[in-house]
């Protein structure tokens, strides 16, 4: 084991091979990283900073969350959690590197030693994250202050936090004051602006044309609307598939991985479809189920191509995954009728004997969503959750024929489960996050 001391001697960290020390800039105190792979992909790394601070941890976490969308590209803030106790925070997010065009997953870990705040950022590419997260956190735990007298005040204006309202129901149940981060979801709506839209008939015509169907004068009448839709979206020109249209049709026919996500709420059911190979994905998505989500009208879908590494993030954004302080519901077991009232009818229904946490959760907009994933090798067990607005995601477990136990799961776990399923199919391996 090697101890690395950072710039100005403020921080130190213990590392083993293959970790190596990196060259730091003036804005950070410490940098270590793993070697890049043979393909030159993003090298997992750890960056640490220390600065004087005499305040609450959520002030720092709130400032960080407030700054991410302004300072990084295509940000998705996934979760805010306690890390090593009530006075620490883990802010989880992903963003796209402008240089490599790769989606990076990061976790900023905030803790205090006396009046010194330590902010440790661990990062990897999104596909690497589920496998590396535990190891990266273990390395981060050894970061410590070795000379508090050398700590420098950061240069530049102080960032103000947009998140200053306490989560009163959580504080009442857990006796810990935390800030409500539910407003994060409003800053990262599903990216559908300026996307082409298609209909079921247009998708059917796209597949038929891929199979060699010629429209001609006889077919033009019945396919007129569908053809116009595909032409408007750039998938067809002159009754022939364009390059992008042919690529999308090929993905639908020969996908290495296909995904289907359905989400039911009181206003109806939304659907998202993905067909992907080892580099690209064709996404066809109805309006997302999250509150305030924008999107096409009922019966139409946004249709576009994205890199494969963006798929899990895309699904998370469509579902409206965002930071949530989860409450312990009592009772945890709920009957099917009450669930239907919450999800299908949008009623604030409670199970018999429901505690105050249930009262708060029932006031949220409830969604039931299921992700199905398959490849040529087979189909995975569907992943199902109940989303309770700012109270986050609850995994149902069968108790008997008409009753389910609702088990809270952190948003980061849910996001990683989606990525894990995609990788399991791509690499023909078992699901690791069941």
């Amino acid at each position: 084991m090697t101890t690395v001391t950072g710039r100005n001697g403020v921080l130190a960290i213990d590392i083993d091979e293959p970790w190596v020390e990196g060259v730091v800039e003036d804005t950070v105190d410490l940098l270590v990283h793993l070697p890049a792979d043979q393909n030159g992909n993003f090298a997992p790394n750890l960056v640490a900073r220390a600065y004087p601070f005499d305040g609450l941890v959520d002030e720092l976490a709130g400032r960080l969350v407030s700054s991410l969308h302004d300072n990084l590209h295509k940000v998705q803030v996934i979760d805010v959690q306690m890390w090593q106790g009530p006075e620490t925070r883990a802010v989880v997010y992903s963003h796209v590197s402008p240089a490599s065009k790769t989606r990076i997953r990061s976790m900023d870990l905030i803790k205090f030693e006396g009046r010194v705040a330590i902010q440790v950022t661990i990062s990897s590419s999104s596909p690497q994250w589920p496998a590396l997260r535990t190891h990266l956190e273990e390395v981060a735990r050894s970061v410590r202050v070795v000379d508090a007298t050398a700590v420098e005040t950061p240069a530049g204006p102080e960032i103000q936090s947009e998140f200053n309202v306490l989560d009163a129901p959580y504080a009442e149940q857990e006796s810990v004051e935390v800030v409500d981060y539910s407003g994060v979801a409003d800053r990262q709506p599903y990216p559908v602006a300026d996307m082409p839209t298609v209909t079921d008939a247009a998708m059917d015509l796209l597949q038929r044309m891929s199979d060699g169907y010629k429209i001609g004068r006889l077919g033009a009448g019945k396919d007129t609307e569908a053809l116009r839709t595909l032409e408007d979206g750039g998938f067809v020109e002159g009754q022939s598939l364009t390059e992008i249209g042919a690529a999308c049709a090929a993905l639908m026919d020969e996908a290495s991985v296909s995904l289907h996500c359905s989400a039911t709420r009181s206003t109806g059911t939304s659907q998202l479809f993905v067909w992907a190979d080892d580099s690209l994905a064709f996404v066809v998505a109805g309006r997302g189920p999250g509150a305030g989500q924008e999107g096409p009208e009922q019966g139409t879908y946004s249709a576009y191509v994205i890199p494969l590494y963006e798929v899990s993030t895309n699904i998370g954004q469509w579902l409206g995954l965002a930071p949530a302080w989860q409450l312990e519901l009592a009772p945890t077991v709920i009957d099917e009728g009450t669930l239907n009232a919450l999800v299908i009818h949008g009623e604030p229904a409670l199970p018999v004997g429901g505690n105050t946490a249930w009262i708060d959760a029932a006031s949220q907009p409830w969604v039931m969503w299921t992700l199905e994933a398959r490849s040529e090798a087979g189909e995975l067990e569907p992943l199902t959750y109940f989303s309770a607005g700012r109270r986050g995601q609850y995994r149902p477990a069968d108790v008997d024929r008409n009753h389910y136990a609702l088990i809270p799961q952190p948003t980061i776990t849910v996001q990683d489960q989606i990525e894990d399923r995609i990788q399991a199919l791509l690499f023909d391996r078992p699901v690791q996050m069941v």
Side-chain angles (χ1 to χ4, degrees):
M1 180 175 290
T2 301
T3 297
V4 175
T5 302
R7 182 179 66 90
N8 296 337
V10 176
L11 297 176
I13 186 174
D14 299 324
I15 57 173
D16 289 312
E17 293 185 351
W19 284 89
V20 294
E21 182 178 1
V23 179
V24 299
E25 300 176 352
D26 290 342
T27 55
V28 302
D29 293 298
L30 183 69
L31 167 63
V32 296
H33 62 86
L34 290 170
D37 62 22
Q38 295 178 345
N39 298 320
N41 292 324
F42 183 84
N45 63 64
L46 178 152
V47 175
R49 306 168 182 83
Y51 40 90
F53 188 78
D54 187 14
L56 301 175
V57 67
D58 268 321
E59 292 180 50
L60 288 183
R63 291 179 190 178
L64 173 61
V65 173
S66 297
S67 69
L68 289 174
H69 287 93
D70 296 328
N71 296 329
L72 297 174
H73 185 52
K74 293 185 177 180
V75 172
Q76 181 202 20
V77 181
I78 300 168
D79 211 353
V80 179
Q81 300 178 318
M82 296 179 193
W83 181 39
Q84 293 179 307
E87 298 305 315
T88 64
R89 291 291 182 271
V91 178
V92 188
Y93 56 97
S94 69
H95 64 99
V96 173
S97 165
S100 65
K101 308 301 182 185
T102 301
R103 181 158 287 275
I104 307 302
R105 176 72 76 85
S106 296
M107 179 186 285
D108 278 41
L109 306 165
I110 302 171
K111 64 179 181 179
F112 295 94
E113 289 189 16
R115 293 188 176 183
V116 176
I118 305 173
Q119 181 179 334
V120 183
T121 305
I122 50 178
S123 302
S124 76
S125 68
S126 283
Q128 293 174 302
W129 180 265
L132 286 177
R133 174 191 169 187
T134 299
H135 174 63
L136 293 173
E137 285 195 63
E138 287 175 355
V139 176
R141 288 188 178 94
S142 74
V143 176
R144 59 196 180 275
V145 175
V146 291
D147 184 4
T149 63
V151 174
E152 299 175 347
T153 300
E158 184 177 284
I159 298 171
Q160 298 301 312
S161 173
E162 300 175 31
F163 306 97
N164 303 301
V165 178
L166 294 179
D167 189 327
Y170 186 92
E172 179 182 349
Q173 182 176 82
E174 302 295 331
S175 298
V176 176
E177 289 191 349
V178 297
V179 168
D180 180 4
Y181 292 100
S182 60
V184 169
D186 297 331
R187 294 199 63 181
Q188 48 193 36
Y190 189 63
V192 297
D194 302 321
M195 296 293 184
T197 58
V198 296
T199 60
D200 289 326
M203 293 298 296
D204 176 68
L205 179 58
L206 182 65
Q207 287 189 302
R208 285 187 285 134
M209 293 180 70
S210 174
D211 293 336
Y213 173 70
K214 302 295 184 182
I215 296 176
R217 286 182 296 176
L218 292 177
K222 67 176 182 178
D223 294 319
T224 298
E225 289 300 323
L227 181 61
R228 184 180 295 114
T229 298
L230 293 178
E231 288 175 338
D232 291 343
F235 301 103
V236 169
E237 184 177 351
Q239 298 188 0
S240 297
L241 293 175
T242 61
E243 183 177 351
I244 188 65
C248 293
L251 283 170
M252 294 171 70
D253 290 337
E254 304 167 8
S256 301
V257 173
S258 59
L259 307 166
H260 173 225
C261 193
S262 61
T264 299
R265 55 179 176 171
S266 61
T267 55
T269 297
S270 302
Q271 298 188 84
L272 175 145
F273 303 87
V274 180
W275 297 270
D277 60 16
D278 59 358
S279 61
L280 294 174
F282 180 37
V283 181
V284 176
R287 179 172 296 185
Q293 288 275 42
E294 297 180 357
E297 297 301 320
Q298 191 72 24
T300 61
Y301 310 88
S302 298
Y304 50 94
V305 175
I306 59 175
L308 175 66
Y309 62 76
E310 286 282 74
V311 171
S312 63
T313 298
N314 188 272
I315 294 173
Q317 290 175 318
W318 186 78
L319 290 168
L321 298 183
W325 294 113
Q326 294 182 296
L327 301 176
E328 290 295 331
L329 304 178
T332 58
V333 175
I334 187 171
D335 65 277
E336 188 174 40
T338 304
L339 273 176
N340 285 339
L342 287 165
V343 174
I344 298 175
H345 302 295
E347 300 172 354
L350 295 173
V352 176
N355 62 354
T356 56
W358 255 118
I359 295 173
D360 181 78
S363 69
Q364 300 297 308
W366 279 64
V367 176
M368 183 187 78
W369 61 266
T370 298
L371 177 66
E372 300 170 297
R374 61 181 61 84
S375 67
E376 291 182 357
E379 184 173 347
L380 301 180
E381 282 289 321
L383 179 68
T384 297
Y385 274 93
F386 287 92
S387 173
R390 70 170 184 160
R391 291 304 165 209
Q393 309 296 314
Y394 291 83
R395 185 92 178 263
D398 290 344
V399 175
D400 57 36
R401 183 176 176 181
N402 298 309
H403 292 81
Y404 306 89
L406 296 185
I407 303 166
Q409 293 288 348
T411 308
I412 184 176
T413 298
V414 181
Q415 185 69 63
D416 288 349
Q417 285 176 322
I418 296 171
E419 177 66 39
D420 180 50
R421 276 160 168 72
I422 296 170
Q423 292 192 37
L425 292 176
L426 285 171
F427 300 109
D428 194 22
R429 65 160 174 80
V431 170
Q432 296 173 350
M433 301 185 68
V434 295

